[in-house]
Amino acid sequence: MYRIGSIQNGYFEAKPGHKWSWETPPEPIPESEIIETVEADVVIAGAGISGLACGCRAAQLGGKVIVIEKNTTFAYRGAHMGAINSKVMEAKGIKIDKYQFVRDWIRACGNRCDERLVWRYVNNSEKVMNWVIDMGESYGVGCEIFGGYYKGPDYTEYPGTHILLGGPNCTLGDPNRKHKPAGAQAGCEIFITEIKKHGGEIRYKTPAVQLEKDDTGRVVAIIGKSEDGYRRFVGRKGVVLATGDVGGDPEMVAAYAPIGLKPKRNAYNPPKMNTGDGHKMGYWAGGTFEDGPWPTTIHLTAYALYTFFFLFVNIEGNRFMNEDNWIQAKSLNVLRQPGGEFAYTVFDSDWVEEVERLSPIGGGQFWEPLVTFYGVPWKGEFNGIPQAIEHYLNKGLAFKADTIEELAEKMGVPVENLTKTVDRYNYLADKGEDMDFGKRPELMLPIRKGPFYALKWGPAFLNTDGGFNVDMDLNILDADRKPIPGLYAAGNTIGGLYGVDYPVILNGNSHGKCMTFGYIAATKMMTGNTDDLI
């Protein structure tokens, strides 16, 4: 018997050969318990950005759309939407070489992704992003390009991340509210507005629980559980599973993405929602999953939200990696350290000037604000980061001292270890060669000018990024790699796109993928073909 840790701070035990709970399908909902049958052209489970994009496209193509969602409102995360080229990028003189981009993507994914699916996203993301931008403009929503992408030579990121901004003329939602929608929230509100404008419905507090097939094996309906009983939602042209990932189900994480159980912190959101409902229903209907382990998104959202590129030390005061790396690598390296929960960045009083000077050859998430616009340089007096560090000092997430010895005591690390580590780092910086970890010489800056700082940061589990095998029209595939008629997937219910880890060579590619694949699935269901897509 072996023990599997849980993201709920507990554990469960399983014997070798253990059968997971979802492998046994539930009994069909009795007809006597179904209080209503509702028909539509397209029925979608999940009111996240993928399901809503799918519903929007289907409604615009003349379909009657019903979206069912178990939460009390729609779901959205973050601000970034990744696309390979768009009208906004063109206006700023940005053009991504998609051939090089795909080569970099495949390499970042360890060759475990489905290249056809990657190309399906890359070739159509421009069309879909322009579709979103055009709709947004009609509602007073603008669009900017994220400027906080990493510019180093080895973990290069691409400037194709879009941020939607609801300006003073934004007409989405309540025009009198204080904060206008931005990012993924703005995208979701655009889709919802369009769905309703074209006669579609969104039914909240209605979790999807089962799929129904007809005598031919076609999936024809989703059974949803409303507050007053079960309802059958018939999708004449198709049903879509857009229920998010499995991050809220510790058992499924243990089965398919066990590394997701390792971080001490869990940033999965919204709580109790993404519990693999669509994965389970599709599995019971004969759908197959991509090979495991599934990729995960583990980012540096525990404790302070900045790491920069200075000296990293673990809780024993020892250096453990090349600090010039991307965010998932930093997270995974912390998981390997004693305690496995957090690490520190150590730097001196020149840090603001040094970050500002070196951002043009580095930058990236957790170095720059998450809302940073293309072409705007890193300026400490304007971007709020120095103020954030002061806030972390007040909250005990950063430490400041006049000497390295005093800093070590405040951090709670062995004084002798930290002083030796800093001395060694300074020696390598003076030498101009990082013989220990190979960091670029231009980022090897000595730590000599007090006061000295230590910033506490660590990994948090966000979500899994794996799921069903699908074809290029987002039909879920069975054990023979044949499409299950009537059954589609979008968003984080699908697999094949990533393979190892969420590749942050394009920030926001998850949202971009969600919108693109929702658009493609809707186009296929409503028109019968996707000949206008690449």
Side-chain angles (χ1 to χ4, degrees), residues 5 149 179 196 204 209 214 235 245 282 315 366 378 433 438 453 478 502 531:
Y149 59 97
H179 299 289
K196 291 181 177 179
Y204 298 111
V209 294
D214 63 15
D245 73 304
I315 63 173
F366 305 96
W378 199 102
E433 182 181 2
Y453 295 81
D478 64 16
Y502 178 69
D531 292 344

Side-chain angles (χ1 to χ4, degrees), residues 301-383:
T301 55
Y303 307 104
L305 295 181
Y306 296 101
T307 61
F308 305 121
F309 59 92
F310 304 108
L311 169 65
F312 292 176
V313 300
N314 60 23
I315 63 173
E316 294 181 348
N318 297 319
R319 190 181 180 206
F320 59 92
M321 69 176 294
N322 178 351
E323 298 87 356
D324 181 27
N325 211 320
W326 70 301
I327 52 181
Q328 187 99 347
K330 295 175 183 179
S331 297
L332 297 177
N333 270 286
V334 172
L335 293 179
R336 298 185 183 100
Q337 301 309 304
E341 185 173 357
F342 57 85
Y344 299 96
T345 304
V346 178
F347 48 94
D348 69 15
S349 60
D350 286 337
W351 73 271
V352 174
E353 293 79 8
E354 290 168 342
V355 173
E356 183 174 312
R357 177 173 63 87
L358 293 169
S359 285
I361 64 168
Q365 287 194 50
F366 305 96
W367 177 326
E368 304 185 62
L370 290 177
V371 178
T372 300
F373 297 141
Y374 183 84
V376 178
W378 199 102
K379 292 289 185 182
E381 65 266 38
F382 299 126
N383 62 26

Side-chain angles (χ1 to χ4, degrees), residues 57-76:
R57 172 64 172 164
Q60 290 175 342
L61 289 172
K64 180 180 179 182
V65 172
I66 295 178
V67 181
I68 63 173
E69 165 60 45
K70 73 177 179 180
N71 204 351
T72 57
T73 186
F74 61 94
Y76 61 91

Side-chain angles (χ1 to χ4, degrees), residues 92-163:
K92 294 181 179 294
I94 306 169
K95 179 70 173 180
I96 292 175
D97 178 348
K98 65 181 180 180
Y99 302 106
Q100 183 61 51
F101 176 84
V102 171
R103 287 193 291 269
D104 290 343
W105 181 291
I106 292 168
R107 181 168 55 250
C109 294
N111 297 289
R112 286 190 56 215
C113 51
D114 184 335
E115 293 190 26
R116 299 168 301 171
L117 205 59
V118 176
W119 277 109
R120 193 68 159 157
Y121 163 54
V122 168
N123 279 330
N124 293 287
S125 63
E126 177 180 359
K127 178 186 184 77
V128 173
M129 195 69 238
N130 285 340
W131 170 65
V132 175
I133 292 168
D134 288 344
M135 286 189 293
E137 289 175 349
S138 70
Y139 293 112
V141 176
C143 184
E144 283 287 346
I145 301 301
F146 178 57
Y149 59 97
Y150 180 80
K151 306 165 191 70
D154 300 310
Y155 307 99
T156 304
E157 296 170 4
Y158 287 81
T161 302
H162 298 68
I163 301 176

